[in-house]
Structures are given as structure tokens and as C-alpha cells.
Amino acid sequence: MSLYLGLDLSTQSLTGVAIDPDRRTIEWQGAVSFDADLPAHGTRAGVLANDDPRIVHSPPAMWVDALQILMERLAPAVDVSRIRAVAASGQQHGSVYLSARAPTALASLDPAQGLRAALGDVFTRATSPIWQDSSTSVECDEIRRALGGAEGAARATGSDVFERFTGPQIRRFYRTEPAAWERTAHVALVSSFVTSLLAGRLAPIDHADGAGMNLMDVATRDWHAGALRATAPDLARRLGPLAPSTIAIGPIAPWFSKRCGFAPDTLVLAGTGDNPSSLVGVGLVEPGQAAISLGTSDTFFACLDAPSIDPTGQGHLFGSPTGDWMALLCVRNGSLARERVRDQFGLDWRGFSEAIASTPPGNAGKVLLPWFEPEIAPRLAHPRVERHGGLSPADAAGHCRAVVEAQLTSIRLHSAWIGDRPRAIRTTGGASANPAILRILADVFDCPVQRFRSTHGAALGAALRAHHGHLLARGEKPRWSEVVAGFTDPEPGSTIQPDPKNRAAYDDLADRFRTLLRARPGA
Ligand code: XUL
């Protein structure tokens, strides 16, 4: 029986999921925690401390070590020789800078050595800026200006220019460390870097993750000449070609077959970003479906059959690994804000849910603006917390309902550009276990909400992509809906239907929220 392996290199850990598509089972899942398993790299929550809070980097050498440890944990647990294909996903936007030696080093990884020693020093930058970095405002302004403003940038590259996106990060490196930039022959994304290690050769950046760089032309899926020019000299050569997410890169590097027992012909597929991978991992493989992940930050995403951009410049257009498109809204004040309110009133999650249940939908007009930290969507450079409609500072229950209603109403308003209201919303992430929150979600969006049981959506999505890619490489024409079936179905009995009685209350709240957002902060 064949197995398929998916990897997800996220901010804090590297996760692996091995699936058996014949039995529709997850055969193994495991993770390497960067802080706990690799303390020598000195990260906290996967990132390096910096005096400037805007600078957030991680060491790429740590990711190499993590890959070796994950394989060492996989090998005794699973019959690795049954794995037919591997695919990786990675946190989006982060970049890895490699010297001209990298292709030879990758092609000759010595199985007698550990992976990092075998690779040798191929990094021209010891640390990689990741998606939490916000140090590139100057570079963003310059690139945005060159692309004709926020809307021009979004039309060209799928998003307004964002601090964490790869283009501004590359520009900052080129400007602040010109000598190291000169030594840089290749720039990889986190996903293409892990894939390069697996395949023992430089892997291309795929269209889905490539769309998160402010460098790819979303009309042609090729590099955008104006964006390249505005970012750094001689960049096209360093980025290499873009490729569809479904292409096979080649067989797994001998380092993995000789040391870990993979069959030498195990196929390695192109890597992709964690959000595009999650799209597959929660089963959103057809347009018209949407999902919300309620985690540290909340993301709302949908599968689109044609590119569409947010004219307000707050949402993103990424590619989908299916070859379609993906719309994404990233809300930084997600569980962060919910926990803030919960803790402020000394509640646990149960108390928080009971407090919500004791208040009416619409909260009798009480509203909270819940941005305790600067926000991505809506784009707010400074925190904005305000009480309106008679919400008193001591009203615990009113606050619990208000924070959730505000977050979900804001997502409803800021996702309007994505198209028609979704027919159903799938939920994942920690807070999706909370029925009080899901009830509000169903009513705010006036559509059914389904709970989905995935704990590792991105790694599962990668495993499903590995299966799909292997079938393609064998000349078959796999249908995505069949590949994901049985792995990504909603939990039986988990659907929450909207209550039509609450429709008017939430339409009113959306109107009030729109007005408050237009008003000056604090006015
Ligand atoms: C999306 C984003 C994050 C990262 C980290 O734009 O910045 O979701 O992909 O997971």
C-alpha cells in the first residue's frame, strides 16, 4: 500500500503527516518544536530576539536540523519505503539567501554526515526574515510608488505592498547589506528551500506561494518586471523560474533514501505556502467555498476560479495549489483579542461562552472596536479599542459577545470583495471548538458553519498534494475532490445553521460598524 508524506514548516515547528489514501487514514503525524527540540539555535516561539521589535528573523540552519530530526522520528514509526511522494508547505513570505555553491552542495549531500554538515555553509544571510517582520515600511513605500499606489500594486501583484512580503524584505537586505547581496546567487522562499533540501536541487517557487511576494504578476503568473525593477537589481536571475504547484521536482535526494529508507524513486513535488496548502487540507478545492481559521491570528480564505483583488488593499490574492486562486484576509488580533477580554474579566473559555449565551444577538447595540495591537485587516498602524452603544467598562458579558461580534462582522465587511456570501463556511483552529463563537459566525454571515477536525491543515494539505502529484506524474488525471474525499469532510453533526431571526440584528451591526470604521479613531 502506498503512503504519502506532507511537511509543514511553520513559525514554531516542523510538522509531518503521512497518509494512506486507500484506507483514507492518517498513518503518522509528528512534529519538531524549534524551541524545545533545537535549543542551541536560541529561538523563542521559533524566532530570534531582536532589540528592534519590528525585526523578526529565524535561522534557516535550524530548519535544516529540524528536517533531519523529523525524518529520524518518522523512520522507525512508518515503513518509509512505502512513501511514494513527498510535498512541503512553509510559512509564507519568509526568504532564504543562498550562495552560488548551493546547487552543487544540494546535489552532493553526503549521507555519512548530518544534513547541516552535509550542506555546508551555503547561506549568504545567517538569518531569514519571516512573516512577523515589519521593518520594511520605507521599502514598501518605494515599491508601492513605483507600482502606481496601493491599488496599482494590488492589481499587479495581488496585494498592496506589505512589510512582511518578500519583495520589500529583499529590498531591505540589498540596501542594508550590499556585499552580502552581491554574494547571493539564489533567493528561496521557506517552501522552496525545504523542497530543495528534499530534492537535492534548487526547487522553483510555485505560483501559489509566489503570489505572496509582491513580485509575481498575477495576470501572467510570471515575475512582474516593474516589481523586480523596484525591488533590487538582477533579481530575476536570483529568483529562478516560477512553476505550477503540481509539478514534480524529481526523486528524493540520496541523503534521505540512504539514511532514512525512502525508495530512491520517491517523488518530490513543488513546495507551496502554508495558507495555500491549508486550502487543500480543509478541502476547499472548488470555488464558492470559504473557511475561517480561528487561531493566534484569524484567517478567512476562499477558493476563487478567477483572480480578484481587494481594491482597499487590505486583503490578499494568493494562488491555490489546484491552479485556481485563493483570497485571504489575515486578522492579527484574533485569539489575542479574545484572550485579552477573557483575562480582563478573570474568565476561562467556559465562562466566556456562558457570558456570550447570557446576552442577546446584536448585544442590544453595544459595540467594541477590538484592535489591541496594530492590525493587518483593517490596516491599522496603531491599536484601536473603543466602546460604543453603552458598553460599560465593567460589563463582562457585554464585552465577551462584543469582541466576537466585532471580529466576525469586521471579517464579513472586509471580505466583501471576495464575491458572493459563501454558501457554507468551514472552521478550523483552536477557537473553532467553541460553539458560542460558531453560532455568532453562522448568524453574522447568514450561512451554515461546519466544523472541521483538522489539527494540521497545512501538513495534511501537503500530503494530499503529494498524492495528487504522484497520480499526475503517472499520467492519471486525478480530481481534487476525489483526492481530498474522506480526509477533509466536516465532522458529522457539526453543522450550525444560521437563525433567520438574527439576520436583521447583524445587518444593523454591519452598518454601524461600517460607520464607526469610517470615523476618525476616538471620535
Ligand atoms: C499570511 C501570513 C501568515 C504566514 C504564517 O499572509 O503572513 O499566515 O503564512 O503562517
Side-chain angles (χ1 to χ4, degrees):
M1 289 298 153
S2 303
L3 299 179
Y4 295 89
L5 177 65
L7 305 177
D8 177 50
L9 200 152
S10 71
T11 318
Q12 305 199 38
S13 57
L14 172 66
T15 301
V17 167
I19 58 166
D20 178 338
D22 293 326
R23 300 199 304 161
R24 304 275 145 178
T25 48
I26 292 181
E27 291 293 299
W28 178 82
Q29 67 188 39
V32 176
S33 154
F34 302 144
D35 295 359
D37 291 312
L38 292 160
H41 289 282
T43 57
R44 273 188 74 175
V47 304
L48 297 165
N50 197 296
D51 290 342
D52 182 343
R54 293 169 307 168
I55 296 179
V56 185
H57 287 204
S58 298
M62 172 179 80
W63 298 333
V64 178
D65 286 342
L67 183 57
Q68 171 166 345
I69 297 178
L70 191 82
M71 291 302 182
E72 285 166 357
R73 290 183 185 169
L74 168 76
V78 167
D79 180 357
V80 175
S81 68
R82 286 169 53 203
I83 295 174
R84 296 281 162 265
V86 187
S89 85
Q91 47 174 306
Q92 294 199 257
H93 320 299
S95 40
V96 181
Y97 299 79
L98 301 165
S99 70
R101 219 181 67 73
T104 331
L106 286 166
S108 53
L109 297 168
D110 175 7
Q113 292 183 298
L115 190 55
R116 186 146 62 97
L119 184 64
D121 185 16
V122 293
F123 301 111
T124 55
R125 194 180 193 184
T127 63
S128 289
I130 68 150
W131 66 282
Q132 291 168 338
D133 189 287
S134 58
S135 64
T136 63
S137 302
V138 172
E139 289 77 10
C140 286
D141 286 344
E142 292 167 345
I143 298 171
R144 184 180 297 115
R145 218 174 303 125
L147 293 175
E151 195 175 337
R155 288 204 184 288
T157 69
S159 298
D160 180 18
V161 187
F162 279 84
E163 280 76 359
R164 68 191 194 286
F165 277 41
T166 326
Q169 291 292 344
I170 291 173
R171 181 163 180 76
R172 187 175 153 88
F173 179 51
Y174 145 69
R175 285 250 295 250
T176 54
E177 297 180 55
W181 172 251
E182 269 315 304
R183 287 197 306 278
T184 302
H186 310 282
V187 180
L189 289 182
V190 176
S191 61
S192 65
F193 174 62
V194 184
T195 306
S196 302
L197 293 170
L198 290 167
R201 54 188 289 195
L202 280 180
I205 290 171
D206 79 309
H207 293 145
D209 212 8
M213 300 173 80
N214 282 138
L215 289 172
M216 190 185 96
D217 184 335
V218 288
T220 63
R221 299 188 207 229
D222 204 344
W223 297 119
H224 187 282
L228 293 184
R229 248 194 328 274
T231 300
D234 214 2
L235 185 51
R237 172 175 66 80
R238 290 169 162 104
L239 291 170
L242 283 155
S245 319
T246 46
I247 65 155
I249 306 301
I252 200 159
W255 191 92
F256 296 92
S257 45
K258 298 217 169 92
R259 270 182 85 113
C260 316
F262 283 89
D265 64 350
T266 308
L267 201 61
V268 177
L269 277 301
T272 195
D274 57 355
N275 291 301
S277 195
S278 294
L279 198 70
V280 172
V282 301
L284 296 196
V285 292
E286 273 159 20
Q289 301 173 315
I292 189 163
S293 166
L294 298 163
T296 311
S297 57
D298 294 337
T299 51
F300 179 87
F301 48 94
C303 180
L304 307 174
D305 51 6
S308 163
I309 56 125
D310 178 1
T312 70
Q314 298 175 94
H316 308 304
L317 175 71
F318 298 145
S320 161
T322 58
D324 298 300
W325 294 93
M326 136 174 231
L328 181 131
L329 202 71
C330 185
V331 178
R332 195 172 159 204
N333 287 271
S335 84
L336 191 101
R338 293 186 286 275
E339 280 163 24
R340 192 88 164 231
V341 168
R342 182 200 65 182
D343 296 346
Q344 188 182 334
F345 294 102
L347 299 169
D348 55 14
W349 283 124
R350 201 173 146 170
F352 184 86
S353 302
E354 284 167 3
I356 291 179
S358 72
T359 50
N363 216 8
K366 298 174 205 167
V367 176
L368 178 75
L369 299 192
W371 300 296
F372 295 90
E373 299 285 338
E375 184 48 77
I376 298 172
R379 208 163 179 179
L380 296 172
H382 303 286
R384 190 170 171 198
V385 181
E386 293 168 22
R387 287 182 209 89
H388 294 273
L391 178 63
S392 84
D395 180 354
H399 273 79
C400 293
R401 179 173 282 278
V403 68
V404 177
E405 287 189 341
Q407 292 178 318
L408 298 174
T409 303
S410 176
I411 291 178
R412 170 176 151 182
L413 292 176
H414 290 99
S415 62
W417 63 276
I418 294 173
D420 297 340
R421 205 78 74 75
R423 291 191 300 275
I425 300 180
R426 295 185 168 197
T427 60
T428 174
S432 67
N434 189 321
I437 295 179
L438 298 196
R439 151 86 10 237
I440 296 176
L441 177 63
D443 286 344
V444 165
F445 277 84
D446 195 24
C447 80
V449 165
Q450 302 164 321
R451 203 171 52 228
F452 173 78
R453 198 167 24 90
S454 146
T455 41
H456 297 301
L460 175 61
L464 294 167
R465 289 201 317 107
H467 180 212
H468 179 274
H470 185 239
L471 294 174
L472 260 189
R474 282 199 330 212
E476 297 181 30
K477 292 200 171 71
R479 289 161 61 104
W480 279 104
S481 54
E482 284 163 15
V483 170
V484 304
F487 285 106
T488 63
D489 304 327
E491 260 185 70
S494 74
T495 304
I496 298 182
Q497 295 293 342
D499 185 342
K501 284 201 303 295
N502 298 335
R503 197 176 292 151
Y506 286 115
D507 284 345
D508 282 354
L509 181 60
D511 286 341
R512 291 195 52 211
F513 217 78
R514 208 179 278 121
T515 313
L516 286 168
L517 274 171
R518 266 195 229 115
R520 243 177 343 102

